[in-house]
């Protein structure tokens, strides 16, 4: 008990010192505050992912990697994710664990990522998409939220650093449940969304494979189908009009917009789900 209390006081004291001296360790390259260390990101992400896994597994919705029936589906999805992760453009490719899990829910068209790079994608989103560049674009957007540490910073804004540190130290299990439950509905700032869109283009360009405006393809599809029942992704990632243009402009700058991609893997994945 003394050791845990001392650790918490040490962390809070270190945080206070870092804030007091405004050192570069508490800001990113753009000068935005990042109060968590990379290790804190990983620890919080592992805890949230464990809680998320438990919740969806209890509901019978988590497709387990250990189940042989899911092996081919994960092989196909991993191929998309790994192309993005290995694009050479991620800041924390080697620091974060990075994995992806499928949630069986055809009625939900969404995806989200924890701090530290644990990605969740709903079957409803996978089945909604038309080509593999769209899937890579949406996943690239979520990877950017983790890699640019948007999720940590948004959680800090929402819950406060003291509460999050208590979760990291395992002292607040009820709050961990609340964070895990609400992560899929976490609403990012306009700046975070814009940056995630831009990095999705950068990541897909780095693959040398995908049309790097893939995320725009998702927004265009949702927009063309009207707003009667918009995908859940739009409720936490709004303003598709401006975003489509910004994504396409960035893709034009990189000259990677018109790549033709074989989407047979996506079609097979959809059939398996």
């Amino acid at each position: 008990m003394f050791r845990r209390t001392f650790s918490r006081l040490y962390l809070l004291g270190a945080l206070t010192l870092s804030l007091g001296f405004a050192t570069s360790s508490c800001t990113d390259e753009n000068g935005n505050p990042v109060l968590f260390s990379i290790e804190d990101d990983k620890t919080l992400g592992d805890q949230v992912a464990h809680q998320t896994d438990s919740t969806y597994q209890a509901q019978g919705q988590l497709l387990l990697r250990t189940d042989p029936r899911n092996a081919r589906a994960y092989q196909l999805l991993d191929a998309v994710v790994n192309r993005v992760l290995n694009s050479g453009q991620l800041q924390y490719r080697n620091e974060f664990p990075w994995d992806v899990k499928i949630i069986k829910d055809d009625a939900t068209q969404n995806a989200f990522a924890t701090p530290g790079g644990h990605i969740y994608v709903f079957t409803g989103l996978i089945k909604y998409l038309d080509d593999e560049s769209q899937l890579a674009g949406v996943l690239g957007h979520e990877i950017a939220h983790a890699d640019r540490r948007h999720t940590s910073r948004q959680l800090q804004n929402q819950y406060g650093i003291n509460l999050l540190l208590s979760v990291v130290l395992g002292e607040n299990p009820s709050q961990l449940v609340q964070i895990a439950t609400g992560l899929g509905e976490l609403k990012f700032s306009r700046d975070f969304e814009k940056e995630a869109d831009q990095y999705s283009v950068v990541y897909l360009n780095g693959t040398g494979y995908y049309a790097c405006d893939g995320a725009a393809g998702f927004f265009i599809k949702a927009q063309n189908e009207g707003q009667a029942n918009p995908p859940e992704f739009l409720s936490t990632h709004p303003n598709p009009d401006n975003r489509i243009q910004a994504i396409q402009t960035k893709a034009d700058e990189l000259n990677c917009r018109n790549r033709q991609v074989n989407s047979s893997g996506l079609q097979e994945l959809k059939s398996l789900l």
Side-chain angles (χ1 to χ4, degrees):
M1 180 65 182
F2 171 77
R3 189 171 184 177
R4 170 174 283 186
T5 301
F6 176 79
S7 297
R8 187 169 191 274
L9 290 172
Y10 176 82
L11 282 172
L12 291 174
L15 173 64
T16 301
L17 287 173
S18 68
L19 289 175
F21 288 103
T23 64
S24 60
S25 65
C26 62
T27 61
D28 64 15
E29 69 280 4
N30 297 318
N32 298 310
V34 181
L35 305 184
F36 265 20
S37 69
I38 298 302
E39 288 303 317
D40 289 335
D41 261 29
K42 291 165 60 177
T43 300
L44 179 62
D46 288 345
Q47 292 173 338
V48 171
H50 179 75
Q51 180 62 47
T52 301
D53 289 354
S54 297
T55 298
Y56 284 109
Q57 187 172 354
Q59 297 171 358
Q61 292 180 292
L62 182 67
L63 298 191
L64 298 174
R65 284 182 171 272
T66 54
D67 188 333
R69 294 173 296 179
N70 301 326
R72 179 57 178 165
Y74 274 112
Q75 182 182 23
L76 292 165
L77 182 60
D78 286 343
V80 180
V81 172
N82 287 333
R83 283 192 185 103
V84 178
L85 292 177
N86 296 328
S87 63
Q89 301 301 315
L90 272 72
Q91 185 172 7
Y92 298 110
R93 173 66 180 98
N94 298 321
E95 287 82 359
F96 290 164
W98 299 110
D99 59 19
V100 61
K101 296 167 189 174
I102 303 170
I103 300 171
K104 180 66 175 177
D105 183 352
D106 289 353
T108 300
Q109 297 152 344
N110 204 2
F112 62 91
T114 75
H118 301 283
I119 308 156
Y120 293 85
V121 57
F122 291 80
T123 55
L125 177 64
I126 295 172
K127 293 181 178 182
Y128 179 77
L129 301 173
D130 294 326
D131 66 65
E132 200 165 296
S133 289
Q134 291 177 4
L135 177 59
V138 173
L139 291 173
H141 180 97
E142 293 305 320
I143 288 169
H145 277 319
D147 190 55
R148 307 306 298 177
R149 305 186 72 193
H150 296 163
T151 310
S152 296
R153 287 149 61 184
Q154 197 69 34
L155 289 173
Q156 288 172 35
N157 291 338
Q158 184 167 331
Y159 292 101
I161 189 65
N162 284 351
L163 188 147
L164 288 186
L165 282 175
S166 72
V167 172
V168 168
L169 292 169
E171 297 175 351
N172 203 333
S174 63
Q175 193 63 59
L176 174 62
V177 172
Q178 182 177 337
I179 291 172
T181 301
L183 197 60
E185 300 300 320
L186 186 65
K187 295 185 178 181
F188 292 98
S189 70
R190 191 180 298 266
D191 287 344
F192 285 173
E193 289 300 326
K194 180 179 179 181
E195 187 176 38
D197 285 344
Q198 296 289 295
Y199 273 92
S200 175
V201 177
V202 170
Y203 297 160
L204 267 60
N205 180 47
T207 68
Y209 183 79
Y210 292 116
C212 60
D213 61 339
F218 163 77
F219 288 124
I220 292 169
K221 177 179 174 67
Q223 188 178 63
N224 289 342
E225 292 185 355
Q227 299 299 314
N229 293 293
E232 286 80 359
F233 195 86
L234 291 184
S235 68
T236 51
H237 304 74
N239 304 314
D241 286 331
N242 295 336
R243 297 175 69 180
I244 291 168
Q245 182 179 359
I247 290 169
Q248 292 177 336
T249 298
K250 183 67 174 179
D252 286 337
E253 289 176 5
L254 298 176
N255 194 28
C256 55
R257 183 174 169 185
N258 296 312
R259 293 172 182 160
Q260 298 299 313
V261 177
N262 185 336
S263 292
S264 60
L266 174 61
Q267 300 310 317
E268 183 183 356
L269 175 59
K270 290 162 73 170
S271 71
L272 291 170
L273 300 177

